[in-house]
Amino acid sequence: MDGFDDRLVSSSLPQRSNALSNKITRVLSASYADLEIREVLRTLDAKQIQNNAETRRRLQSDVQKDVLECNGEIVKEFGQVAEQLKRIGSTIASLNRCCEEMRHHVVAARQENAPVLEEASTLLVQKHDLETKKQLLDAFKKHFIVSEEELIALTDISEAVDDRFFAILKRVKQIHTDCQVLLGNENQRLGLELMDQSSRNLNNAYQKLYRWIQREFKTLNLENPRISAIIRRALRALAERPTLFQSCLDYFAEAREHVLADAFYSALTGSTTDNEQNPMTKPIEFYAHDSLRYVGDMLAWTHSTTVSEREALESLFISDGDEIAKGIQAGRDSEPWSNIDDEAFDGRKALDDLVNRNLAGVARAIRQRVEQAIHYHEDPVLTYKIANLINFYRLTFTKLLGADSSMQETLSALEESALRQFRTILKDQVASIQADLNGPPPTLHAPEFLNDALNQLAALLKSYHSALTPAVSRAADFQPILDAAFTPFLSACKTLAHNIEPPGCDIFLTNCLIASKTTLSPYDLVTAQDSSLDSMLETHVAALASHQHAFFRHTSGLHVLLVALAPFADPKTPSSSLLTIPSLPAFQPDSLSATSQTLDAFLPSALMDATEFLKELGSTKLSAEITAEAAERFCADFEFVEERLSAIDRAREEDEAEKGVEEETLPLRVIFPRTSGEIRVLLS
């Protein structure tokens, strides 16, 4: 045993030595930065252990003791936890039993209540369907059904036409339009019934609107035809029934026609049709002192009234024209079977037509009175001025109402009547003058009837010059007036001239033409007639110049010499022919000397005698021009005679020189010594 112990001791010594060295090595190799070591050191430090041999020897056993104590406390606490878990387990088991019991109860209750729940679900679904249907029905009634109160406001005549009426009317029209959607379903009964009901309601509403507008027109202040906004709105709405709309316009036009006719009568007489005097009116028939003023005042009043009428109605047909056109087109679309003109609605044309119809009564009254004024007198100038005045207003009304208006037709007829009366008066004047043509005036001046005609023509030209006639056709349009007011009188002057011996006839016609040109020349629209007068005047002036020239030739005695020298006028006449001239009677010394003396006696007073010859000519300037032309021609004749006489003398000298005649013949130029230069000086 001792030996065993010794071996055991001897064998354990190296092991202890190794373990110790290993521990020392581990301790030395440990890092003090290690958290575990630091924690151990902190724990030892907390125990306040004395660092001595006893403490070091008992450290491990103390530590192990502490560990065992801690473990014991932990086991004790886990025992308490186990107790708690047991209690919890029993509680859970109890809960599971309760839940199972409840599950059994629920299953049993579900089996018992399943029919009730199923029925409740069915009822909820039915409730939802009913609510949906109710909403649809409410929406349908709200959109398609008109209440009884609204129907009364829409169709009852005693109810007012106001904004509420038009709102209901708009809604009913929308219902009628939307019913077409219902007709697309398989069951069309509802759509047909609603459309039929809405159609009846609309017809009743439009009938109410039609009667209301007629009542309003009856109470409307027709002296001031401005249509109120509510009536304009009613007319716009009624346009969807074109027949009723046109009937309202017809009624309005008829009422306005009577009112305007009465107003025209009041403007003429100063009193109404009921014989009530209007102190604010100046009667046209009282203040118009002549027919022109009378006609002008009537037409001016009519024009002013027409402009006022258009301005009053423009708000309906121009401002609201598009809406009326849409309404009428909608009416045509909804009533394709009705006999309505398919022409598109034109607001301006409708306005012109209505104003034209309103003025129909005034147009008839004007036509009657103007025709009386035209045929009342026999003054052609006044008649023509009336025709021009009517033409002015005819063009004005054409621009205002169009070319097809009754006023335009009336004024065209009156203008034609005035021109016809004008031509008739002129024809009567010409016939009267032609019947009394006794002879021209002794002074050969323009006759009195021509002067009167020219005065009339001047007045006519002045009146026509101020007329609104297109510049292109002014001359052509006035030519018939010229033919009626001037040409017959000039022809009468030509007839008178046939009974006058020349040159008196030319002087007379020249005076007539000068007077005519004096009247016509200021006006460019008679250029053609003025040119014709110039041509005729040139003809007669040429004839007077020829007469004046003949006067110079015969009075001076030069005519005899010119007649004798006429066969020898050719400058190339041979000398042998020239030698025969002195043997002619006119060139005998006595005869040639007498002619020279006659010429000498004529020259001093030649111009005075020639002027006296044209003393009846109305223009001294023209007389001087004619005399100057005749004197020039006379000087040319004298130069011819002078040249021929000189040629004869030269031919005789040559002939005598050839024959050797010693006794010279007396030259003709000695017997007839005057030169052309002297003649020109004396006649200048």
Side-chain angles (χ1 to χ4, degrees), residues 60 136 141 156 181 207 330 354 362 367 390 490 502 536 574 593:
Q60 183 175 3
L136 291 175
K141 289 175 63 179
D156 193 351
V181 179
Q207 287 294 332
L354 183 58
V362 176
R367 182 166 189 168
I390 295 173
L490 189 60
M536 290 188 288
S593 177

Side-chain angles (χ1 to χ4, degrees), residues 514-538:
I514 291 174
S516 301
K517 278 186 60 61
T518 303
T519 300
L520 296 178
S521 57
Y523 301 95
D524 55 355
L525 56 90
V526 290
T527 305
Q529 186 68 34
D530 199 29
S531 300
S532 176
L533 293 179
D534 286 337
S535 177
M536 290 188 288
L537 185 59
E538 289 176 1

Side-chain angles (χ1 to χ4, degrees), residues 410-609:
T410 299
L411 294 179
S412 296
L414 290 176
E415 182 183 3
E416 182 60 31
S417 176
L419 292 176
R420 187 167 53 250
Q421 177 69 8
F422 167 72
R423 289 189 289 267
T424 301
I425 294 173
L426 289 178
K427 288 179 181 178
D428 292 342
Q429 287 185 354
V430 173
S432 175
I433 290 170
Q434 290 176 346
D436 297 336
L437 284 179
N438 297 323
T443 59
L444 298 182
H445 290 169
E448 184 178 356
F449 70 83
L450 180 62
N451 290 328
D452 294 340
L454 291 175
N455 290 333
Q456 289 182 358
L457 183 59
L460 296 177
L461 284 166
K462 185 177 180 181
S463 176
Y464 186 80
H465 190 70
S466 61
L468 294 178
T469 307
V472 178
S473 60
R474 288 178 70 84
D477 292 345
F478 191 74
Q479 188 60 41
I481 306 301
L482 202 61
D483 294 339
F486 173 67
T487 305
F489 297 96
L490 189 60
S491 299
C493 293
K494 293 178 181 178
T495 302
L496 286 178
H498 292 160
N499 301 324
I500 307 174
E501 295 294 332
C505 62
D506 293 307
I507 294 175
F508 174 69
L509 288 177
T510 300
N511 288 333
C512 294
L513 292 173
I514 291 174
S516 301
K517 278 186 60 61
T518 303
T519 300
L520 296 178
S521 57
Y523 301 95
D524 55 355
L525 56 90
V526 290
T527 305
Q529 186 68 34
D530 199 29
S531 300
S532 176
L533 293 179
D534 286 337
S535 177
M536 290 188 288
L537 185 59
E538 289 176 1
T539 302
H540 292 292
V541 168
L544 288 175
S546 298
H547 287 299
Q548 192 77 303
H549 179 221
F551 168 76
F552 278 116
R553 291 176 57 171
H554 287 84
T555 307
S556 64
L558 199 63
H559 179 70
V560 177
L561 300 180
L562 290 171
V563 173
L565 292 173
F568 309 98
D570 189 357
K572 298 180 180 180
T573 303
S575 300
S576 57
S577 298
L578 293 177
L579 292 175
T580 62
I581 293 177
S583 61
L584 297 175
F587 291 92
Q588 296 300 315
D590 294 339
S591 298
L592 189 59
S593 177
T595 300
S596 178
Q597 292 175 5
T598 302
L599 178 62
D600 291 340
F602 164 74
L603 287 175
S605 61
L607 291 179
M608 295 179 62
D609 294 340

Side-chain angles (χ1 to χ4, degrees), residues 295-312:
V295 174
D297 287 351
M298 287 192 294
L299 294 178
W301 183 92
T302 306
H303 177 260
S304 175
T305 301
T306 304
V307 172
S308 300
E309 198 80 1
R310 277 184 63 88
E311 290 177 352

